[in-house]
Amino acid sequence: MKRKTLVLPAVVGLLAPVLAACGGTDSGADGKGAIVVGTTDQLVASQENPAPLDPAIGYEAGVWNVLRQTVQTLTTVPNGGGEPVPEAARSCAFTDTANESYRCTLRSGLTFADGTPVTAEDVKHSVQRVIDIDAESGPVGLLANIDMIETKGEDQVIFHLKTPDATFPYKLATPAAGIVPKAQYPAKAARKGFQVDGSGPYTMKPEVEDGRVVRIAFEKNPSYKGELKVLNDKVEMDLFPDTKAMGKALDEKKIHLMTRAMSPEQAHEMLVSPKEGVDLTELPGLAISYLGFNTKDPVVTKPVRQAMAQIIDRGQIAGKVYGTTAEPLYSLIPSSIAGHTNAFFNKYGEPSTAKAAKILDKAGVETPVKFTLHYTSDHYGPATAEEFKAIQQQLNASGLFKVSVRGEEWSTYRPEQKRGDYAAYGMGWFPDFPDPDNYTAPFLDANNFLNSPYRSREAEKVLIPQSRRAADRTAAADAYEKLQDIVADDVPVLPIWQGKQYVASRDGIAGVERSVSATSELQLWELNRPNA
């Protein structure tokens, strides 16, 4: 039957390519085998990063896609959004009016998959090691506001914070605060390799070739106790080198689902000409694409960045490169998140070469401004190269810039970007949790995700702490408006587009509309065969 399902409009997730896998759905044709999910996520061990799946190290969507299935957190954000609810904990709450002390009590009888009891000391060990290891590209920034972790008895853990933070329950719901067994995860060092152990809904077994994961077998954890309802017994994740190979596997019935990341062309083709036996589901999403800058580089000064913001035509890029799967973005905070303003449009209006020329002329900048715009060639999907050629053409057509573009593999790109080797570069952002704090603090706070030298004292010392004091998140709207205005004026980052995410699935698989969260993370426990 030809069918397409449109659930809620939102955002496209683009993820990292990897080595091809040759899984198949034949074993599942009778409804008894694993549901097979295809992805282009990249899971690679290297000399620089020998522990990509350690929760203290891994801080990208592909890694969290694995951790979400296997490692339990104290709290979880309900499917569809809302405030966090207890997960490994049976209760969690702030114990003071200032939102500086947060107490959780574990569920009774909670164990890791091997039967070892989960205690408050395990929780403390798991969170403290993220802080102590302090991995350069890790998620430590999410937990940086913890001052001290206290335990009481076997089942109570209290987090004392340095400053008030109403968003802390969201941060405890991320894999950065995943609970791992002390015996297998050293306190001061990373756990090397690809094995992950925890108390989550699944156990996992990775298949590795040449330092790359090509397949992961997930089996339902019979010891799991938590908020999630696990609707299947087995799921297999097959990793493909590109979207073309993943699409071919779906056509040949070797996989049941094609998840992150379908190309714009694939999504468009399925929207226009639905395939027999294949459903296309559009899901809520919150991912964004943006340009980042080494603000200490003498070429990309503030006037230069402002001129780029004045020239770049986001609508043309979204339409030309991504079609109906993306829309222009004029703020770090996407339009589907409370607190969003069109700060860049409010400041710069429609693209204008004349206005950009005035900015550069007033600052005494010699034109054309020459630099290389870098992008990752294998991490955000096949359309990235075309997107950056479009940005290059727009800038160079103004006569004010002479920009070249260069793509690098993610394994090289990310370390060089973090070191400050690039004057200007492209990145994507898959939020850790659906709150405006997670679109501002990771870019503007001291331990920022980009390792950017940019600093705004007003943002870092006044507005971010102020925004976190508000338990009612709508009360922080004024602070977020000011933060967005600061970004539009200083342009430490330049938002380009927000998109939509799609999942293609073969008939007979249910729960697809719940299988990818708005923050672009897989929720494999939602998949099932209703007629099996």
Side-chain angles (χ1 to χ4, degrees):
M1 179 167 98
K2 292 185 179 180
R3 185 170 67 199
K4 67 179 181 181
T5 305
L6 297 182
V7 182
L8 287 173
V11 180
V12 79
L14 299 173
L15 253 246
V18 157
L19 195 64
C22 300
T25 63
D26 292 344
S27 62
D30 59 1
K32 296 180 181 179
I35 296 173
V36 186
V37 176
T39 179
T40 54
D41 287 350
Q42 179 170 311
L43 302 173
V44 183
S46 63
Q47 185 174 358
E48 189 169 56
N49 181 15
L53 289 180
D54 188 320
I57 306 297
Y59 190 28
E60 55 186 80
V63 172
W64 280 19
N65 272 344
V66 177
L67 296 179
R68 282 289 186 195
Q69 322 309 318
T70 49
V71 176
Q72 202 171 13
T73 50
L74 288 169
T75 61
T76 187
V77 177
N79 208 334
E83 295 184 1
V85 297
E87 162 59 349
R90 61 179 171 86
S91 65
C92 285
F94 282 106
T95 58
D96 64 334
T97 57
N99 295 334
E100 288 184 313
S101 182
Y102 195 74
R103 181 192 299 260
C104 289
T105 303
L106 294 174
R107 293 177 185 267
S108 60
L110 194 68
T111 67
F112 292 109
D114 65 0
T116 305
V118 177
T119 68
E121 283 297 326
D122 286 304
V123 177
K124 178 179 179 179
H125 168 82
S126 301
V127 176
Q128 188 64 52
R129 68 185 295 273
V130 178
I131 298 170
D132 292 342
I133 291 173
D134 192 17
E136 182 181 1
S137 297
V140 64
L142 289 168
L143 307 175
N145 195 33
I146 295 175
D147 185 43
M148 182 181 71
I149 306 173
E150 178 186 1
T151 60
K152 288 190 176 181
E154 292 291 307
D155 65 348
Q156 290 191 43
V157 57
I158 304 102
F159 299 92
H160 300 282
L161 307 182
K162 299 173 185 176
T163 58
D165 186 2
T167 71
F168 188 68
Y170 286 99
K171 294 168 183 174
L172 285 185
T174 68
I179 305 167
V180 295
K182 290 177 66 175
Q184 298 175 46
Y185 288 81
K188 305 288 185 180
R191 181 186 184 180
K192 297 180 181 179
F194 295 102
Q195 185 58 45
V196 180
D197 292 284
S199 56
Y202 295 98
T203 60
M204 62 87 79
K205 183 178 180 180
E207 183 177 332
V208 181
E209 296 179 4
D210 299 324
R212 296 172 178 260
V213 175
V214 296
R215 185 179 296 109
I216 301 176
F218 293 101
E219 290 200 13
K220 185 177 180 179
N221 175 13
S223 302
Y224 171 72
K225 291 184 178 181
E227 178 71 15
L228 308 177
K229 306 300 181 186
V230 185
L231 302 179
N232 57 67
D233 293 326
K234 297 179 181 179
V235 180
E236 180 182 296
M237 180 188 293
D238 284 6
L239 289 80
F240 292 89
D242 51 45
T243 56
K244 183 178 180 180
M246 183 168 60
K248 185 173 184 288
L250 184 72
D251 291 341
E252 296 176 351
K253 301 183 180 180
K254 292 182 178 180
I255 61 175
H256 295 102
L257 273 79
M258 181 164 65
T259 59
R260 297 147 36 94
M262 294 177 62
S263 70
E265 291 79 13
Q266 286 173 323
H268 178 73
E269 181 181 347
M270 290 188 186
L271 282 168
V272 174
S273 303
K275 295 184 177 181
E276 186 72 31
V278 175
D279 304 335
L280 182 66
T281 304
E282 181 181 322
L283 302 170
L286 300 171
I288 66 172
S289 177
Y290 61 95
L291 301 183
F293 301 95
N294 177 357
T295 54
K296 283 189 175 180
D297 190 286
V299 176
V300 289
T301 60
K302 179 176 175 178
V304 169
R305 302 193 302 268
Q306 289 178 327
M308 291 175 67
Q310 184 66 73
I311 289 172
I312 291 176
D313 188 337
R314 298 165 176 81
Q316 185 185 74
I317 292 169
K320 179 181 177 181
V321 179
Y322 296 100
T324 61
T325 65
E327 60 186 71
L329 179 63
Y330 296 94
S331 169
L332 273 177
I333 301 174
S335 59
S336 46
I337 290 287
H340 163 85
T341 67
N342 286 317
F344 275 82
F345 189 85
N346 295 340
K347 181 173 178 63
Y348 299 99
E350 297 290 347
S352 170
T353 296
K355 289 181 179 179
K358 287 182 180 179
I359 293 172
L360 295 174
D361 183 63
K362 183 178 180 180
V365 176
E366 183 178 345
T367 59
V369 180
K370 301 177 182 179
F371 63 87
T372 299
L373 181 58
H374 295 263
Y375 67 92
T376 172
S377 59
D378 66 343
H379 195 67
Y380 296 118
T384 306
E386 186 179 349
E387 175 185 347
F388 278 80
K389 287 180 182 177
I391 294 174
Q392 176 194 32
Q393 289 170 358
Q394 289 183 3
L395 292 173
N396 290 351
S398 71
L400 302 174
F401 290 89
K402 190 173 183 180
V403 175
S404 60
V405 294
R406 181 174 177 179
E408 296 281 359
E409 291 187 0
W410 181 254
S411 58
T412 299
Y413 182 85
R414 178 60 167 153
E416 290 182 345
Q417 177 271 311
K418 291 271 289 186
R419 283 200 304 265
D421 293 355
Y422 305 151
Y425 51 88
M427 292 287 283
W429 180 248
F430 302 91
D432 307 314
F433 52 90
D435 187 276
D437 178 80
N438 200 235
Y439 289 93
T440 48
F443 304 97
L444 302 175
D445 217 347
N447 295 318
N448 68 78
F449 167 73
L450 297 173
N451 197 33
S452 169
Y454 172 78
R455 290 292 180 273
S456 164
R457 189 183 186 285
E458 183 181 8
E460 187 177 328
K461 302 298 184 182
V462 180
L463 295 174
I464 292 175
Q466 177 185 324
S467 69
R468 289 174 172 171
R469 293 190 188 100
D472 176 3
R473 302 307 291 145
T474 60
D478 287 346
Y480 288 119
E481 182 177 353
K482 292 176 183 176
L483 284 167
Q484 290 168 91
D485 287 343
I486 288 173
V487 173
D489 185 52
D490 291 347
V491 200
V493 292
L494 176 54
I496 303 295
W497 56 261
Q498 66 179 84
K500 302 172 184 177
Q501 59 183 6
Y502 292 92
V503 176
S505 61
R506 302 209 65 85
D507 285 346
I509 302 298
V512 176
E513 71 279 6
R514 300 182 300 276
S515 65
V516 183
S517 73
T519 54
S520 300
E521 292 172 2
L522 293 179
Q523 301 177 143
L524 300 181
W525 55 86
E526 296 283 4
L527 298 171
N528 65 95
R529 293 184 178 93
N531 299 320

